[in-house]
Amino acid sequence: MCGIVGYIGDRDAISVLISGLKRLEYRGYDSSGVALISNGKLEMEKATGKIIALEKKLENHPIHGKIGIAHTRWATHGVPNEKNAHPQVSYDGKVMVVHNGIIENYASIKTKLESEGIVFKSDTDTEVIAHLIACAYKGDIKSAVLEALNVLEGTFGIAVLCENEPDVLIGARRGSPLVLGIGDKGEYFLASDVSAIVDYTQKVVYLDDNDVVVATRSGYEIMTIGRHAVNRSVQEVDFDADAASKGGFDHYMLKEIFEQPEALRNTMRGRLLLSDGSAKLAGLNSNIQELRSIRRIIITACGTSYYAGMVGEYMIEDLAGIPVEVEYASEFRYRNPIIDSGTLVLVISQSGETADTLAAMREAKTKGATTLGICNVVGSTIARESDGGVYLHAGPEIGVASTKAFTSQVTVLAMIALLLGRERRVSSEQGMEIAKAISEIPSAVEETLKLSTGIRKIAEKYVKAMNFLYLGRHYNYPVAMEGALKLKEISYIHAEGYPAAEMKHGPIALIDANMPVVVIAPKDSLFEKVLSNVREIKARGGRIIAVTTVDCTELSKYADDIIYVPKVFPMLMPIITCVPLQLLAYHIAVLRGNDVDQPRNLAKSVTVE
């Protein structure tokens, strides 16, 4: 959610800032703005809607300078309009702030500042930050920022400019990501996501919570909010700007759907031990003794990552015989979970910055659990704060609706299940069979992607539907949930995912000729059970889209449309069956004329509650 870009150096700052904002469009936003110090004066421009609206305003009101900050806002406090867009300016016009996160005590701060005569011009919580800094300013912007930050409660990633100190760029974070980019010839960048600055540098410093960075053209320093100097390592970004481009596809989402075979190969590269029938996961191997003694696993995540965790639950219980619970991170963090020394908590987040998931992990650590993270972004907060974990190595995922991250998460969970299983009860022979099956998954996904044209034709038949029902059993029940989520996210069609057997306990009342039902029904041990559900739907006039394996013939009697996918090892079927559902959602959304990559009201990385 929201995006921050900052720059100080010898380039024209406006080009860097606008380029960075465009790289962050995928995160979701409703307004944008820039502020630069030009000829010793703060200059600002803001606009609602897309960044192109800001660019048009800048054509009429050009701003140039060598230092600046910029922002894309996703509204939390106050409606989306120019008044509430960032940057927010202090009462004296000398300090400008861009901010991601939520200031929880802003109301009490605002009341106090208003009692002192300060007039607020926006409805945002961010405005209090600018006023606090201005009130604390006594000729040293660094000290003023530190003083102000010690008053704030909640989460923030901020970038700050002060007109009185035109060669100082300040950033700080608590609970909201911020990265410092190190360029050539004394130039520095700030960004909430490294993708915003990879056009200019691949040397970055990931800031930790409560870090404050002060950058000038002669260098930078990092300290804590408590004023203690700290050293943070400089890291090389493992992807370039080309990796984050559309690569000839109409949308990032479609590109990422078709990137899945290569993403899966990258996810499993060097990790599968085919000859041993096991997996080698560097981030877990150091915890192997603890893994052998665990008695219970809790998987916690949000959204698509939660559904990947549901698949992981089945995998781990089947192979390792360890009881697994899957919990929404937003619920886990606010109850009193029972955690003992034998509990392992797996947290899953594509960005590694999801606010609820991060808070759930910290709660688990506080209660003494071993925590392992599964995330895609190197250097993210979850990656740094967990006791161990596994990177997906899926490459940047720009589309808001997650696709390749989901299949990579399920693949990592399959390898974890295999590793735990081999440590407990899976034989070498069985392990080799599973490892080989995992290694063959990318090729099966490639075959499935060839169905895209046919799936588009199916989408054309159902593009005007108002409701969908998705059904699946066992491993494919989470796929039904994920398929429904994809449709909701980008097509804005109401959709629900259910265990197929639960259809009779309520949803069957909804079925008629206007309710398409997507049934995930591979030819497996539960196929006959699912087939009976299909018959029940057909008897009530329902329209059926079936996803099944190439060896199935029975569904042709009942389904209106059938999507045949390759047959793979049962526990790996979700990696295959989810792909047609991704494509179905994509094609329906495109046919409805929706913005597939930036669906309304959604953000890529949810860094606020």
Side-chain angles (χ1 to χ4, degrees):
M1 289 182 175
C2 305
I4 289 173
V5 186
Y7 175 75
I8 181 171
D10 291 328
R11 304 176 197 254
D12 185 8
I14 196 68
S15 61
V16 177
L17 298 175
I18 293 297
S19 171
L21 290 185
K22 287 181 176 179
R23 290 283 186 192
L24 296 178
E25 282 192 286
Y26 73 92
R27 294 172 70 93
Y29 69 103
D30 46 52
S31 60
S32 60
V34 295
L36 288 83
I37 299 180
S38 178
N39 297 319
K41 296 291 184 181
L42 277 172
E43 298 279 353
M44 179 175 65
E45 193 61 81
K46 302 193 284 189
T48 56
K50 298 299 183 183
I51 290 169
I52 191 171
L54 177 63
E55 288 184 289
K56 288 180 178 177
K57 294 188 75 172
L58 288 168
E59 288 176 5
N60 298 322
H61 177 214
I63 305 174
H64 299 286
K66 306 295 185 181
I67 181 173
I69 56 178
H71 191 261
T72 51
R73 176 178 184 256
W74 190 83
T76 54
H77 294 74
V79 299
N81 57 27
E82 288 188 20
K83 177 182 71 173
N84 293 326
H86 298 198
Q88 287 292 313
V89 62
S90 61
Y91 62 90
D92 61 0
K94 300 295 186 180
V95 176
M96 288 197 181
V97 176
V98 294
H99 165 229
N100 292 349
I102 293 178
I103 305 305
E104 294 174 357
N105 62 335
Y106 92 97
S108 59
I109 295 173
K110 181 176 181 179
T111 299
K112 181 177 183 297
L113 291 172
E114 286 179 327
S115 71
E116 296 171 358
I118 292 175
V119 176
F120 279 72
K121 297 180 179 179
S122 80
D123 304 312
T124 71
D125 55 341
T126 303
E127 191 177 352
V128 302
I129 305 175
H131 294 325
L132 283 174
I133 294 171
C135 288
Y137 186 72
K138 302 294 187 294
D140 181 357
I141 187 60
K142 178 177 74 174
S143 294
V145 170
L146 290 168
E147 183 176 331
L149 293 181
N150 276 289
V151 177
L152 303 180
E153 297 174 7
T155 60
F156 53 80
I158 64 169
V160 181
L161 291 183
C162 177
E163 184 176 279
N164 293 341
E165 298 186 40
D167 295 312
V168 180
L169 174 65
I170 296 181
R173 69 157 287 176
R174 180 195 291 157
S176 188
L178 197 67
V179 60
L180 172 72
I182 303 171
D184 298 325
K185 301 175 183 177
E187 64 177 0
Y188 297 95
F189 307 82
L190 287 176
S192 52
D193 187 318
V194 72
S195 64
I197 57 176
V198 290
D199 279 330
Y200 303 100
T201 183
Q202 292 188 302
K203 293 181 179 179
V204 300
V205 177
Y206 294 99
L207 300 181
D208 283 353
D209 270 359
N210 296 311
D211 278 356
V212 179
V213 59
V214 181
T216 67
R217 290 176 176 81
S218 59
Y220 70 91
E221 60 176 327
I222 302 175
M223 69 208 74
T224 67
I225 291 174
R227 300 176 185 259
H228 301 294
V230 292
N231 292 315
R232 303 291 181 221
S233 62
V234 178
Q235 300 185 38
E236 289 281 338
V237 178
D238 61 356
F239 69 92
D240 57 22
D242 290 340
S245 67
K246 291 181 184 176
F249 288 89
D250 290 338
H251 300 92
Y252 284 115
M253 182 180 178
L254 186 61
K255 171 178 176 275
E256 288 154 12
I257 290 172
F258 275 82
E259 283 179 338
Q260 287 177 112
E262 186 60 25
L264 294 175
R265 291 187 180 102
N266 291 336
T267 295
M268 63 181 71
R269 182 169 288 121
R271 291 169 164 172
L272 277 176
L273 305 177
L274 297 176
S275 59
D276 295 336
S278 189
K280 181 180 181 181
L281 300 165
L284 271 61
N285 287 356
S286 60
N287 302 83
I288 200 68
Q289 292 300 328
E290 288 184 71
L291 295 179
R292 287 172 180 152
S293 63
I294 58 175
R295 299 189 299 273
R296 173 171 164 255
I297 294 174
I298 298 173
I299 299 175
T300 185
C302 301
T304 286
S305 297
Y306 176 86
Y307 300 136
M310 290 175 66
V311 179
E313 175 185 16
Y314 291 123
M315 290 174 167
I316 293 169
E317 290 188 341
D318 282 354
L319 296 188
I322 303 171
V324 181
E325 303 165 34
V326 185
E327 301 220 23
Y328 283 110
S330 54
E331 292 297 316
F332 179 86
R333 65 180 292 195
Y334 286 117
R335 65 182 189 82
N336 190 22
I338 300 170
I339 296 174
D340 56 28
S341 59
T343 300
L344 169 71
V345 176
L346 273 175
V347 295
I348 309 175
S349 166
Q350 187 282 139
S351 68
E353 303 289 352
T354 309
D356 286 319
T357 309
L358 179 57
M361 183 186 76
R362 289 171 173 164
E363 175 70 13
K365 286 173 70 72
T366 299
K367 293 181 177 295
T370 298
T371 59
L372 299 177
I374 298 174
C375 55
N376 194 36
V377 179
V378 175
S380 60
T381 305
I382 286 175
R384 294 198 309 273
E385 293 191 13
S386 58
D387 297 313
V390 183
Y391 283 122
L392 301 181
H393 297 309
E397 188 178 66
I398 306 301
V400 167
S402 182
T403 52
K404 65 178 180 177
F406 174 77
T407 50
S408 293
Q409 287 167 349
V410 174
T411 300
V412 164
L413 288 163
M415 291 189 287
I416 291 173
L418 177 59
L419 174 62
L420 294 175
R422 289 288 283 120
E423 290 291 327
R424 290 169 177 259
R425 64 183 191 178
V426 172
S427 68
S428 174
E429 186 175 343
Q430 185 185 5
M432 285 189 285
E433 179 188 6
I434 296 169
K436 183 174 183 294
I438 295 173
S439 72
E440 294 171 348
I441 282 293
S443 296
V445 173
E446 283 177 335
E447 286 299 309
T448 307
L449 289 169
K450 294 176 183 178
L451 305 173
S452 181
T453 301
I455 292 171
R456 180 183 171 87
K457 291 178 180 177
I458 295 173
E460 291 170 352
K461 295 173 61 176
Y462 299 97
V463 68
K464 294 184 179 180
M466 299 302 294
N467 300 280
F468 268 74
L469 185 63
Y470 286 69
L471 302 175
R473 280 181 181 258
H474 195 48
Y475 280 115
N476 287 292
Y477 160 47
V479 176
M481 302 285 282
E482 170 62 8
L485 177 63
K486 284 292 150 288
L487 192 69
K488 283 183 280 196
E489 285 179 315
I490 62 172
S491 75
Y492 317 142
I493 295 172
H494 173 255
E496 298 294 339
Y498 267 87
E502 289 297 305
M503 179 188 66
K504 296 187 292 293
H505 298 279
I508 198 168
L510 299 172
I511 292 174
D512 59 20
N514 298 314
M515 168 74 87
V517 182
V518 179
V519 182
I520 302 101
K523 194 74 180 290
D524 57 18
S525 60
L526 290 174
F527 176 76
E528 291 299 328
K529 298 291 185 183
V530 179
L531 185 60
S532 68
N533 299 132
V534 169
R535 293 191 186 104
E536 292 165 348
I537 297 166
K538 199 63 179 176
R540 287 156 179 82
R543 300 163 72 192
I544 298 168
I545 304 169
V547 178
T548 189
T549 42
V550 292
D551 58 340
C552 177
T553 58
E554 293 89 335
L555 283 169
S556 59
K557 303 174 186 176
Y558 306 103
D560 297 86
D561 296 279
I562 303 180
I563 302 169
Y564 292 102
V565 299
K567 190 176 183 68
V568 299
F569 196 79
M571 80 173 199
L572 303 175
M573 258 340 286
I575 304 174
I576 306 301
T577 54
C578 77
V579 174
L581 306 188
Q582 294 170 352
L583 289 166
L584 181 65
Y586 170 81
H587 287 306
I588 289 177
V590 170
L591 289 166
R592 289 167 71 97
N594 294 348
D595 188 340
V596 175
D597 289 330
Q598 298 170 48
R600 68 189 185 198
N601 303 332
L602 295 179
K604 182 63 179 174
S605 180
V606 184
T607 55
V608 297
E609 288 189 60

